Amino acid sequence: MTFPETRLHHALPLLLICDNLRDPGNLGTILRSAAGAGCSKVLLTKGCVDAWEPKVLRAGMGAHFQVPIINNLDWESVPNYLPPETRVYVADNCGLYAQARISEKASDHGWMCDRQLSKLHKYEEEEEEVLETGAGKGWLPELEVQSYDSDWAEAPAAVVIGGETHGVSLESLQLAEGTGGKRLLIPVVPGVDSLNSAMAASILLFEAKRQLRLRADP
């Protein structure tokens, strides 16, 4: 597929990786935001809804013809579609096991809700299973967490957005760790569960665009 020359001219060294996004409306909205922010490419891992499903097309409002989309990738092949030296950043507000170790009781700080705590417990249970099988410790990447509006976007960069049901995958965390990336936190006030995946993607992509432009025009 060929793309408009003006679109190619405004493309940024910024990629979006969709991790197990199953809601057609969310994916279409995310693709629309990716096109609007100037992403150079969107990668969809296996488990995502088909990008060409009618509901995704409707929500995308033409985004499919503005940004290259690569469907149905397994995590082993994702690095093949990233430019050299790309750092991968994971959007994850769920307070995973690594961050919980930093704070003795993360829920006291207002950034872990009941659903997030249940996800933490799921990772703890999985670690117990791994230890029982003799795989050893350190199986879950311990990525540094930073606020989405602090300085993080360096060219080239990729942002991972996970589905709302299961969140980001272990493979995405491993990829971020291997590329020197981080987990990005969008703080919400206590009592608010989390942001919609499409909203989170839009915030992160346009913040990355802002930061990349600042670096290009000091």
Side-chain angles (χ1 to χ4, degrees), residues 1-18 27-44 51-52 56-57 59-71 81 205:
M1 184 182 296
T2 58
F3 295 89
E5 190 66 29
T6 54
R7 193 256 167 247
L8 298 176
H9 176 72
H10 291 287
L12 296 171
L14 176 65
L15 293 85
L16 176 66
I17 304 174
C18 296
L27 180 57
T29 303
I30 287 172
L31 293 176
R32 189 175 178 183
S33 293
C39 285
S40 61
K41 193 182 301 180
V42 178
L43 309 180
L44 274 62
W52 298 93
V56 181
L57 285 167
M61 294 293 290
H64 293 69
F65 308 104
Q66 297 293 326
V67 59
I69 302 169
I70 302 175
N71 260 317
Y81 294 89
L205 292 177

Side-chain angles (χ1 to χ4, degrees), residues 51-108:
W52 298 93
E53 197 263 358
K55 291 182 179 179
V56 181
L57 285 167
R58 190 179 304 120
M61 294 293 290
H64 293 69
F65 308 104
Q66 297 293 326
V67 59
I69 302 169
I70 302 175
N71 260 317
N72 203 37
L73 295 175
D74 54 45
W75 280 103
E76 289 76 12
S77 63
V78 167
N80 298 332
Y81 294 89
L82 302 178
E85 308 301 324
T86 297
R87 286 193 175 185
V88 176
Y89 299 87
V90 178
D92 185 13
N93 274 21
C94 288
L96 300 181
Y97 183 59
Q99 180 65 12
R101 280 181 167 173
I102 298 174
S103 170
E104 292 182 359
K105 195 173 183 183
S107 57
D108 286 345

